[in-house]
Amino acid sequence: METRYNHKEIESKWLKNWDEQKDFKPASDANPAAKEQEHFSIVIPPPNVTGALHLGHALNNTIQDILIRYNRKLGKNTLWIPGTDHAGIATQAVVEKRLHQDEKKTRHDLGREELVKRIWKWKDEYEARITSQLKLLGSSCDWDRRRFTLDPVCAKAVRYAFFNLFKKGLIYRGKRLVNWDTHLHTAVADDEIYHETVKGHFWTFKYPLADGSGYIPVATTRPETILGDTAVAVHPEDERYKKFIGKTLLVPFVNREIPVIADAILVDREFGTGSVKVTPAHDPNDYATGLRHNLPMLNILNEDGSLNENAGEFKGLKGEKARAAVVEGLEKSGLLLKVEDHEMQVGKSDRSKTIIEPYLSDQWFVKMDKLAERAMQAVENGEVKFTPARYAKNYLNWLGEKRDWCISRQLWWGHQIPIWHVENSQLSTLNSQLKTHFASRSDIHYYKAEDGSWLVCSLEKDLREDEIEGLKLIRDPDVLDTWFSSALWPHSTMGWPEQTDLLNTFYPTSVLVTARDIISLWVARMVIFSQENLGKIPFDNVYINPTILDGLGRRMSKSLGNGVDPLDIIEKYGADALRFVMCSMCTENQEARLPVKKEKLEDGREINVSEKFEIGRNFGNKLWNAARFLSSYIVESGELRIESFAKLEDKWVLSRLNTVVRQIRTAFENYRFSEYAAVIYHFVWDDLCSRYLEIKKGDISKESSSLLSHSLYTVLDLLHPIMPFITEELNSILFPNSQRVILRRWPKADENLINAEIEKQFEDVFAIVEAVRSVRGRYSIAPTQKIATVVRTSANLETCKNIIVDLSGLSSFEFGENLNKPAFSANAVIPGGELFIPLEGILDKEKEIARLKKEIEKAVSFAVSLEKKLSNENFVKNAPATVLDGERQKLATQKDIMEKSKIALRELEK
């Protein structure tokens, strides 16, 4: 064996091997009879083609691959479908940004066809990069079944799903208030908005009565929207304003009359002036009020956020300029009463980072009431289970609102809505004309919209403009919300609406691994569409993986630009190390902070690295070195040929091995991935390499060789889902005649070999050994110096006495329940007792006291300087996260030195 584990060569070797052997394919591809086996299937949460993957994606895909490899080894017929998402608004936004940066052009300069060509080119580049990243991570997807949400297979599914909902009357077109991105000129979802606290003002002004008899004081944070007011609301029981209810006011600047209305829902009479201006076309609460009172909906904005002709003299002004001009006008006309400072929450588009405007526009919607109710029942009755379970609440709360879903986007990149508008002045004859032309067409459906226009939906075929003689059919220019096609992903990737073998064999899928922030955007909608299209749920389980944060505590994301390329980590530490740490981070905490720093390679390239991945690399090296040491003792079959073992340590390690097999199985069944990583790490590093081999040292008998071979063979199986590369390589070296690990069956725990009593006994042994070593370190006693030890305990340590003496380097060992503490001795607490080490003849008491006091004084001084630095706000604010972490670690070390030295000092001064 090579002296060092070369991850680059070994990863390349096994990626090629797995691919050539078609190991990632379902068993049923080569053997149709395997269709009858239990299946395990996953569809990848398709990464957006907006850019390369970051460590958040690496964690998500590591967990999926761990599950696939584990279930493959259980003998299940496994399928993992990879793919990417066109990510309509996100991808178009980044390409438009690049277009402006490089060429100073907008999408309108290029036109729809040319811009879409540019985006396809972008997609091809980043899809290839994403695929490469996933492969290098070790993702065992069926790459021949890769899908893209805009490919022909997925596009067909989208058309069928849309047509079915349209035909059932669940899709409709109407003028509604939406969140409007004034930069991208499109509607966006509530979930695609983030909020920032900004400093603003409350402007209180006079709203004059139309008869000139007075005014009502009204306060607003958005004075520019006065121009769109269609009422002023007061509380029906407010004595100040009762007399004004039913009267009319004049809108400043445009002199339009509007009513004073009574509304107890909108108005809080204790807040502000107790009166509220109502702008139904530009505020969600006002919109609801407008519907209750049948108020006009007056739009005062253009698509770019500038004021339109309804704003009179302020037409063309935008944002802060419009606001300032209206305030100035109020002041000049004597209507402004006062201005107060006010902090408020402002919604911004997650894609363009511009302020969102509530905007009244014609959009397409899905009716959600019945669809949402059915999807809620799937979780409430346990068909779909969430892990951690608390996330089911997020799902149910969102669906419980049953808000209709706006599915149209005013973009060019995406699935264009398969609707044709009928343009003709003779609307009275249209129904009969459409009926005559499409009488025998089951693939066509049409209906009359809210505004009186006729809309035609085609299932598969794109209709011509002159499809019907005498009529003109115009294709709706909007595209579907990205989440519409994403919601079909579990079954569209398997060929729906066709009844394919894949659907029959692998649907529903087994588990969805995803992030908490898209439970409403994606998870809920997948359940809705699967129930609607196939009459069943899309997956049995939903595992919500943790979110990776950067050193500043921010979520790693493409949009923030703080994502770390997994290939940087793989370059430095190897894919197995990356995967191991990712798995370890999957705790109940659900947030994992990962500070990184830049490092320059020999070839001049700069990559991101993090010390956290040293854990994974060190673990791989530990396993490699242990295998090198044991290679000459290995029994090639890896089978346990000896049925009984005489030595206690052999029985112990065999019991531990089978306990670990059982514990890992339980961890998998409950999606406890960090527990899985910790259990196998502890067994390999501590039990096998450190403890068992230390007990055996150079005395490895035939029995021990068999046991060690079997243990290593089993460890390679148990560790393979997390660290597939090193396990395959070691298996090929140590057990060259065995089956490759990827295909080998998962180990089963032999309950007859598990002995809880022996395991407990050895826990006591190693606790004593660690305590002795701790005392040696505390008093700087050399490991070679023999020392006496006394343990006060009720445990019977006679059978393990020789192991304790040997591992601890003892001259004598005494234990018992009623033993007294020897004079001038160190002590340490151990489980179920206390340990004493006489120091007479080993230490000069006075010199040791003086040394410890000096050590404490030095540590205190250093700690004070560190605390002073860390209490400096400027230092904490400006220092890189890695520097801060380093200083905090230094402080923790000094405090640890102080604590241990004080304990030792107290012992000596007794």
Side-chain angles (χ1 to χ4, degrees):
M1 289 179 65
E2 296 290 336
T3 54
R4 295 183 60 204
Y5 174 55
N6 186 326
H7 70 82
K8 291 180 183 178
E9 287 183 8
I10 289 169
E11 285 164 11
S12 175
K13 168 186 171 181
W14 286 104
L15 285 173
K16 183 180 178 183
N17 180 279
W18 292 325
D19 182 55
E20 289 175 348
Q21 299 298 321
K22 301 188 182 303
D23 290 325
F24 302 164
K25 292 279 191 187
S28 53
D29 276 12
N31 176 21
K35 291 177 185 177
E36 305 306 317
Q37 294 174 206
E38 183 181 357
H39 83 270
F40 185 88
S41 58
I42 299 178
V43 289
I44 196 173
N48 293 346
V49 291
T50 46
L53 304 183
H54 55 67
L55 286 178
H57 298 98
L59 184 147
N60 175 266
N61 285 282
T62 293
I63 296 306
Q64 290 177 85
D65 194 50
I66 286 172
L67 287 168
I68 279 287
R69 288 179 182 271
Y70 168 69
N71 281 279
R72 188 183 287 126
K73 287 175 69 61
L74 286 178
K76 295 180 186 178
N77 189 20
T78 59
L79 172 67
W80 183 12
I81 297 179
T84 49
D85 197 308
H86 69 280
I89 188 171
T91 307
Q92 183 166 323
V94 296
V95 173
E96 283 195 55
K97 185 178 180 181
R98 176 70 63 86
L99 179 66
H100 185 263
Q101 288 175 341
D102 296 350
E103 303 176 38
K104 304 294 184 231
K105 290 181 179 178
T106 69
R107 60 168 158 164
H108 300 288
D109 295 323
L110 262 63
R112 185 167 192 153
E113 187 177 339
E114 181 56 32
L115 181 74
V116 169
K117 280 183 183 177
R118 297 278 187 104
I119 302 176
W120 272 105
K121 186 178 178 182
W122 175 282
K123 170 261 176 187
D124 290 342
E125 177 186 344
Y126 278 94
E127 184 180 58
R129 187 170 173 185
I130 288 166
T131 301
S132 173
Q133 288 176 299
L134 289 172
K135 286 183 176 181
L136 291 172
L137 182 64
S139 303
S140 56
C141 303
D142 185 349
W143 296 105
D144 293 333
R145 289 190 166 96
R146 186 172 48 185
R147 295 257 65 89
F148 176 54
T149 52
L150 271 179
D151 69 23
V153 173
C154 292
K156 183 175 182 179
V158 167
R159 288 286 285 257
Y160 269 71
F162 186 96
F163 183 85
N164 291 341
L165 291 174
F166 184 82
K167 193 171 182 179
K168 289 182 177 181
L170 295 175
I171 285 181
Y172 66 93
R173 188 170 187 264
K175 195 176 286 291
R176 302 287 188 274
L177 195 70
V178 296
N179 304 307
W180 190 260
D181 186 318
T182 57
H183 178 74
L184 295 172
H185 298 186
T186 183
V188 297
D190 290 345
D191 307 273
E192 294 169 318
I193 296 170
Y194 66 97
H195 291 83
E196 285 184 352
T197 301
V198 298
K199 294 184 183 299
H201 300 90
F202 255 133
W203 286 273
T204 303
F205 66 98
K206 301 175 184 177
Y207 228 122
L209 288 156
D211 61 9
S213 62
Y215 67 88
I216 294 177
V218 177
T220 180
T221 59
R222 302 185 68 202
E224 70 278 11
T225 63
I226 291 170
L227 304 162
D229 290 351
T230 57
V232 166
V234 298
H235 196 281
E237 298 174 7
D238 193 328
E239 295 298 331
R240 294 172 296 174
Y241 301 124
K242 269 186 177 182
K243 60 185 177 182
F244 296 119
I245 297 170
K247 292 192 175 185
T248 58
L249 305 168
L250 280 180
V251 177
F253 312 115
V254 293
N255 293 325
R256 179 168 34 82
E257 286 195 31
I258 60 172
V260 178
I261 61 173
D263 196 293
I265 298 174
L266 179 68
V267 181
D268 177 359
R269 54 183 163 173
E270 305 300 325
F271 181 75
T273 62
S275 59
V276 179
K277 58 186 284 302
V278 184
T279 321
H282 299 290
D283 181 273
N285 293 322
D286 294 0
Y287 177 75
T289 304
L291 292 177
R292 286 197 298 275
H293 295 270
N294 198 27
L295 297 174
M297 308 273 181
L298 184 65
N299 178 28
I300 60 169
L301 293 180
N302 295 308
E303 287 187 356
D304 66 353
S306 62
L307 294 172
N308 64 21
E309 63 279 358
N310 291 328
E313 64 188 273
F314 302 103
K315 177 184 176 182
L317 295 178
K318 185 177 179 180
E320 291 297 331
K321 287 184 179 179
R323 184 169 298 173
V326 170
V327 170
E328 184 182 359
L330 289 171
E331 194 168 16
K332 283 181 178 179
S333 58
L335 296 176
L336 188 64
L337 290 171
K338 63 178 178 178
V339 183
E340 301 168 276
D341 290 337
H342 175 67
E343 281 193 349
M344 55 187 176
Q345 289 281 304
V346 173
K348 290 189 174 182
S349 169
D350 188 46
R351 300 306 175 188
S352 68
K353 312 305 178 191
T354 52
I355 292 175
I356 287 293
E357 289 287 355
Y359 184 71
L360 196 66
S361 66
D362 289 311
Q363 301 289 341
W364 289 93
F365 296 87
V366 173
K367 293 180 181 178
M368 290 290 286
D369 50 357
K370 292 180 180 177
L371 296 174
E373 183 62 35
R374 190 167 56 188
M376 291 172 70
Q377 289 171 5
V379 168
E380 288 169 342
N381 65 23
E383 280 186 275
V384 176
K385 298 179 180 67
F386 277 83
T387 304
R390 62 181 179 273
Y391 287 112
K393 187 177 180 181
N394 300 38
Y395 173 98
L396 293 170
N397 286 348
W398 184 81
L399 282 174
E401 295 176 11
K402 298 179 182 176
R403 289 177 296 165
D404 285 359
W405 172 18
C406 177
I407 57 170
S408 48
R409 298 291 182 267
Q410 290 63 54
L411 301 169
W412 294 348
W413 174 245
H415 292 276
Q416 192 170 352
I417 291 176
I419 289 288
W420 282 259
H421 299 252
V422 183
E423 285 198 358
N424 192 280
S425 57
Q426 303 298 318
L427 291 176
S428 58
T429 64
L430 272 179
N431 189 18
S432 60
Q433 285 178 276
L434 293 170
K435 189 173 182 180
T436 299
H437 188 78
F438 296 125
S440 60
R441 297 278 298 273
S442 61
D443 63 330
I444 296 290
H445 189 74
Y446 56 91
Y447 87 107
K448 197 173 184 179
E450 289 178 358
D451 60 4
S453 63
W454 286 86
L455 306 170
V456 180
C457 182
S458 175
L459 178 58
E460 290 193 37
K461 180 186 173 187
D462 286 350
L463 302 179
R464 302 188 315 275
E465 188 176 289
D466 60 352
E467 184 87 15
I468 306 173
E469 187 177 351
L471 298 179
K472 188 177 182 181
L473 300 181
I474 303 297
R475 179 80 179 264
D476 193 302
D478 291 354
V479 300
L480 287 166
D481 177 11
T482 292
W483 297 105
F484 191 96
S485 53
S486 299
L488 301 169
W489 186 250
H491 52 285
S492 67
T493 52
M494 295 190 190
W496 184 88
E498 306 300 329
Q499 288 304 308
T500 64
D501 275 351
L502 278 187
L503 276 172
N504 293 332
T505 306
F506 293 103
Y507 203 84
T509 61
S510 307
V511 63
L512 173 75
V513 180
T514 190
R516 62 177 182 257
D517 56 335
I518 53 175
I519 290 173
S520 58
L521 284 167
W522 192 42
V523 179
R525 288 167 178 164
M526 281 190 285
V527 175
I528 285 171
F529 270 97
S530 184
Q531 290 177 321
E532 178 64 22
N533 295 335
L534 290 96
K536 60 180 75 172
I537 57 173
F539 30 70
D540 302 316
N541 297 282
V542 180
Y543 173 71
I544 303 298
N545 61 247
T547 299
I548 293 191
L549 310 178
D550 65 12
L552 299 174
R554 301 175 304 169
R555 181 178 178 271
M556 278 194 185
S557 71
K558 292 179 181 179
S559 58
L560 279 176
N562 63 342
V564 174
D565 189 338
L567 299 191
D568 284 1
I569 305 302
I570 291 172
E571 169 95 17
K572 172 80 174 177
Y573 306 99
D576 284 334
L578 167 62
R579 292 167 63 103
F580 183 82
V581 173
M582 293 290 97
C583 185
S584 302
M585 286 181 167
C586 291
T587 64
E588 280 285 317
N589 181 38
Q590 285 284 297
E591 287 190 347
R593 186 171 289 206
L594 194 65
V596 297
K597 60 183 179 181
K598 296 286 186 183
E599 183 175 291
K600 207 161 193 174
L601 301 177
E602 291 180 1
D603 59 9
R605 287 181 297 128
E606 217 175 37
I607 63 171
N608 289 290
V609 298
S610 174
E611 290 178 359
K612 279 201 173 185
F613 294 101
E614 296 283 356
I615 298 168
R617 183 169 65 180
N618 292 345
F619 182 43
N621 288 337
K622 183 81 168 181
L623 181 64
W624 184 265
N625 291 331
R628 280 187 68 240
F629 171 73
L630 293 171
S631 58
S632 59
Y633 300 105
I634 292 297
V635 177
E636 273 194 21
S637 68
E639 295 175 5
L640 190 63
R641 293 179 175 174
I642 299 172
E643 295 181 1
S644 62
F645 293 86
K647 294 188 176 179
L648 195 63
E649 65 267 23
D650 294 338
K651 293 179 180 179
W652 164 73
V653 81
L654 198 52
S655 178
R656 285 290 303 128
L657 176 64
N658 283 278
T659 296
V660 164
V661 173
R662 186 172 63 185
Q663 288 174 332
I664 290 176
R665 185 70 179 255
T666 301
F668 266 114
E669 289 170 354
N670 293 281
Y671 298 100
R672 295 201 294 261
F673 297 102
S674 62
E675 183 179 313
Y676 165 35
V679 166
I680 190 65
Y681 180 93
H682 173 66
F683 177 74
V684 172
W685 191 288
D686 296 327
D687 294 339
L688 196 60
C689 296
S690 298
R691 294 169 176 171
Y692 184 71
L693 287 181
E694 189 177 4
I695 292 171
K696 291 298 184 182
K697 293 181 180 171
D699 181 26
I700 298 179
S701 64
K702 183 179 178 181
E703 286 184 359
S704 299
S705 292
S706 173
L707 196 155
L708 282 165
S709 299
H710 174 68
S711 297
L712 265 178
Y713 188 86
T714 306
V715 160
L716 297 182
D717 282 320
L718 296 175
L719 189 55
H720 178 79
I722 309 185
M723 304 178 81
F725 296 103
I726 193 171
T727 51
E728 285 285 22
E729 182 65 14
L730 287 176
N731 185 70
S732 69
I733 295 169
L734 301 175
F735 309 105
N737 297 322
S738 71
Q739 196 175 23
R740 285 171 303 129
V741 190
I742 192 172
L743 300 179
R744 220 157 56 205
R745 288 292 172 262
W746 187 258
K748 290 182 179 179
D750 186 340
E751 299 293 331
N752 294 322
L753 295 174
I754 296 176
N755 189 319
E757 186 179 337
I758 290 179
E759 289 192 37
K760 174 63 175 66
Q761 205 170 8
F762 270 78
E763 282 178 21
D764 295 340
V765 167
F766 295 121
I768 292 168
V769 172
E770 290 302 318
V772 171
R773 289 172 178 174
S774 175
V775 171
R776 283 184 184 274
R778 197 187 308 163
Y779 294 101
S780 302
I781 302 170
T784 53
Q785 185 171 353
K786 298 289 184 182
I787 55 177
T789 296
V790 175
V791 173
R792 186 160 58 205
T793 179
S794 59
N796 184 356
L797 301 172
E798 189 61 40
T799 56
C800 303
K801 184 175 181 179
N802 291 339
I803 294 174
I804 294 170
V805 169
D806 189 37
L807 294 182
S808 304
L810 305 182
S811 57
S812 65
F813 178 67
E814 189 180 358
F815 67 91
E817 195 167 1
N818 300 309
L819 296 178
N820 295 321
K821 179 183 178 180
F824 183 30
S825 64
N827 75 308
V829 176
I830 58 170
E834 194 170 8
L835 175 146
F836 309 105
I837 296 178
L839 299 175
E840 194 70 49
I842 297 174
L843 294 179
D844 182 311
K845 187 175 182 179
E846 298 306 319
K847 283 184 179 180
E848 185 60 19
I849 288 173
R851 185 189 73 80
L852 288 169
K853 285 182 176 178
K854 190 174 181 180
E855 188 76 23
I856 293 168
E857 185 181 341
K858 182 181 174 183
V860 168
S861 176
F862 192 14
V864 168
S865 68
L866 288 167
E867 284 173 337
K868 186 177 180 181
K869 183 186 285 188
L870 289 167
S871 65
N872 184 319
E873 289 184 10
N874 287 330
F875 172 74
V876 173
K877 183 179 178 181
N878 298 315
T882 49
V883 172
L884 281 174
D885 286 343
E887 295 301 293
R888 287 170 181 145
Q889 185 58 49
K890 288 178 188 175
L891 180 59
T893 300
Q894 296 310 306
K895 287 183 175 180
D896 185 53
I897 291 171
M898 283 189 280
E899 182 63 26
K900 288 178 178 177
S901 297
K902 285 176 181 177
I903 291 170
L905 188 61
R906 283 197 297 270
E907 288 175 349
L908 294 178
E909 289 180 334
K910 284 180 183 176

